[in-house]
Amino acid sequence: MAEQLFMMYDENMIDDEELLLLLEENEHSNLHIGFPYWKYEKFSLEDMRDDECEVEMRFKKNDTYNLAFSLKLPEVYRCYNGRPVPQLCMITNTVVDDLYERYSHLFQDLDQPWLSPENLQLYGTAIHNKGAALDNCWGFVDGTVRPICRPKRNQKDVYNESCHKRVHALKYQSVVAPNGLIANLYGPVEGKRHDSRMLTMSGLLKKLQEHSYSPTGEVLCLYGDPAYPHRVHLQRPFLRRGALTLNQQEFNRSMSTVRVFVEWVFGDIANYFKFIDLKKKPSKLD
């Protein structure tokens, strides 16, 4: 980790103060530059207790084995440089690159079995039964802002000026179905990007035009906040350009009530994997 921080410092990605703070935050009694890899205690999942696994990896021991089986991980990964000091970081990056290459399409394509017209119709019915005014809405689209350290260069590109954020950040766009799964994920993009611009960049509307239909051909849609344009496949609240009618107010209220769970998905990810949340200072157990 220290080696990576010094590389970031050399490339002017972090300044002197940030380097010192990050070194202190990630200090470990054994992790010193130049410390021989053969003196590290060998990692063994079998020797870990369930509670240790859950704290360190967010999964219990058996869940970890099940996850490896489900993802079809190979028995051996070979990194590009043997076993240097930052070996765990290299192994992690190697596995992440492999998973992205094999499974990233699951977050990009809507042409998948669990997103079939029959299932989209079921999702729409479930959302409507929870009180939504729309009976053809099968999911929700939203953007999330993930704060990052202030960069030395191009600060304006990543600065988010939304009324409640105002941070240097990266942004992501996500589509969430009522079963809690992410159906589509786009990003990261610069924090300055508006949600409507991110929608265009992602090509999501075109994908909806190709795949967002019921088994009988009726249009099914997503629902987003007022930042998104109004389209056949993308609905949004009635905008307050004057007094809203009672029916319009009730429509907005009913959709806002069911839409809230898309925020919970972002919150759950940040809660389980706190290292992605710059604003949370991790405890020793994290």
Side-chain angles (χ1 to χ4, degrees), residues 71 73-74 76-77 79 88-103:
L71 293 175
L73 298 185
V76 175
Y77 277 99
C79 296
L88 289 182
C89 181
M90 291 175 58
I91 293 170
T92 299
N93 290 338
T94 299
V95 175
V96 168
D97 288 344
D98 174 49
L99 293 178
Y100 181 83
E101 182 177 350
R102 290 194 285 139
Y103 298 117

Side-chain angles (χ1 to χ4, degrees), residues 204-222:
L204 178 60
L205 282 177
K206 182 178 180 181
K207 296 174 184 177
L208 291 172
Q209 292 167 2
E210 293 174 352
H211 302 291
S212 187
Y213 298 93
S214 73
T216 54
E218 286 87 0
V219 170
L220 300 178
C221 68
L222 298 177

Side-chain angles (χ1 to χ4, degrees), residues 180-198:
L181 296 180
I182 295 177
N184 186 265
L185 182 65
Y186 179 76
V189 300
E190 305 94 324
K192 70 176 183 180
R193 298 292 185 184
H194 192 271
D195 283 357
S196 60
R197 172 58 179 160
M198 192 161 49

Side-chain angles (χ1 to χ4, degrees), residues 119-129 134-138 178:
N119 285 335
L120 294 185
Q121 183 71 70
L122 290 176
Y123 302 151
T125 300
I127 292 174
H128 183 61
N129 289 342
L134 292 173
D135 60 3
N136 68 332
C137 171
W138 65 266

